[in-house]
Amino acid sequence: MPTITHNGVKLAYDSRGKGRPAFVFIHGWTCDRSFFAPQVKHFARRHRAVSLDLRGHGQSDKPQGPYPISAYVDDIAFLIGTLRLGKVVAVGHSMGGITALQLAADHPDKVAAIVMVDPAPLVWPPELKTGVDSIVGAIEGGTRSRAGSSSPTPSS
């Protein structure tokens, strides 16, 4: 398994095939690079196909702190440049779809097209956003949400 290091974070990736444009496959939250294995196998017949474990996932490093989409985007842009992939087709599932969209917005010189597979919602109703923010805050704070309140998570 090859790796690259970006800003002190080791990122695991796979690269198969040859040909342009290259495809970069971006998994969703709690997944890893194996999520797109069938697609990588298919596209590697005629294109370079790269899949990576985002920071905090799979065999990539899991540094302390938040994991904003912008960090994933910076890591992927670094990978594209380091591997000299040229302008890629960025394919993302769920959170990876949002990451692909942000990658294209922030690095148009690195992205020829994006494919968003069942992307996470871009705009949420206020009541859903409040609930999700509460759950995320509880997870990041080491607590779990229970009907609007938090209680400590048992330590292991």
Side-chain angles (χ1 to χ4, degrees), residues 3-131:
T3 62
I4 61 168
T5 301
H6 180 235
N7 293 334
V9 177
K10 181 186 74 173
L11 303 167
Y13 71 94
D14 290 321
S15 178
R16 297 177 61 184
K18 293 180 182 177
R20 294 197 185 252
F23 283 70
V24 174
F25 293 92
I26 308 164
H27 64 77
W29 188 40
T30 73
C31 295
D32 63 22
R33 69 185 186 277
S34 69
F35 181 84
F36 278 114
Q39 291 78 14
V40 168
K41 181 179 178 182
H42 173 80
F43 284 101
R45 294 179 191 145
R46 295 189 180 164
H47 300 269
R48 187 158 181 197
V50 177
S51 58
L52 75 150
D53 287 338
L54 296 172
R55 62 175 57 216
H57 297 79
Q59 294 179 309
S60 288
D61 284 348
K62 296 156 186 67
Q64 292 294 315
Y67 290 51
I69 297 295
S70 60
Y72 298 141
V73 166
D74 290 345
D75 291 343
I76 297 164
F78 179 78
L79 175 90
I80 291 168
T82 300
L83 298 181
R84 297 185 175 122
L85 300 178
K87 289 184 92 167
V88 305
V89 175
V91 181
H93 169 253
S94 189
M95 178 197 70
I98 303 306
T99 304
L101 182 62
Q102 193 64 51
L103 176 68
D106 291 353
H107 300 277
D109 59 313
K110 295 186 182 328
V111 180
I114 62 171
V115 178
M116 297 172 71
V117 181
D118 194 21
L122 295 174
V123 179
W124 295 0
E127 62 277 4
L128 180 58
K129 183 176 182 332
T130 300

